[in-house]
Structure formats: C-alpha cells, structure tokens
Amino acid sequence: MIKFLLWCILFVFCWPLALLALVAYPFVWLLLLPFRVIGIAVHGALELVAALIFLPARLLRAI
C-alpha cells in the first residue's frame, strides 16, 4: 500500500517518471528474481549447517 501511495505522489509531481517506473518495475523484478532464488538456497544451506552443528546439543538435551 505504501508503494502505491508513493507512486501516486510521484505521479502528481512528475507523471512521465511515474509512468516509466510503472513500465520498468516488472522488468526490474524479473532481473532480480535469480538473486532471490540464490538467497533462498543459501539461507537453506546455512540453516542445514546450523542444524548439523547444534544436533549434538539437542541430542544431549533430549536425554
């Protein structure tokens, strides 16, 4: 909602720039999509490493 309100303010002050932003936003989103996928994969790998490191402590705590 905040992005939409900011876009409306930009549209009032400079409508050509607002229309350019409206057209360019999907292309920027598609360009950044691989970086998000890589970030999710790296986060998952780090969670796996943390789970393996803390596994002995969790096993000892369960006993």
Side-chain angles (χ1 to χ4, degrees):
M1 186 70 182
I2 292 175
K3 287 182 185 179
F4 177 71
L5 292 175
L6 288 174
W7 183 83
C8 288
I9 292 170
L10 181 63
F11 187 77
V12 168
F13 288 122
C14 185
W15 65 268
L17 186 61
L19 292 179
L20 177 69
L22 190 65
V23 171
Y25 183 76
F27 295 111
V28 172
W29 186 84
L30 283 174
L31 183 69
L32 295 178
L33 191 60
F35 296 108
R36 291 183 189 174
V37 172
I38 291 171
I40 292 169
V42 168
H43 180 70
L46 291 176
E47 287 289 325
L48 177 64
V49 169
L52 290 175
I53 289 173
F54 292 124
L55 181 62
R58 291 182 66 176
L59 290 175
L60 288 175
R61 195 176 333 144
I63 296 177

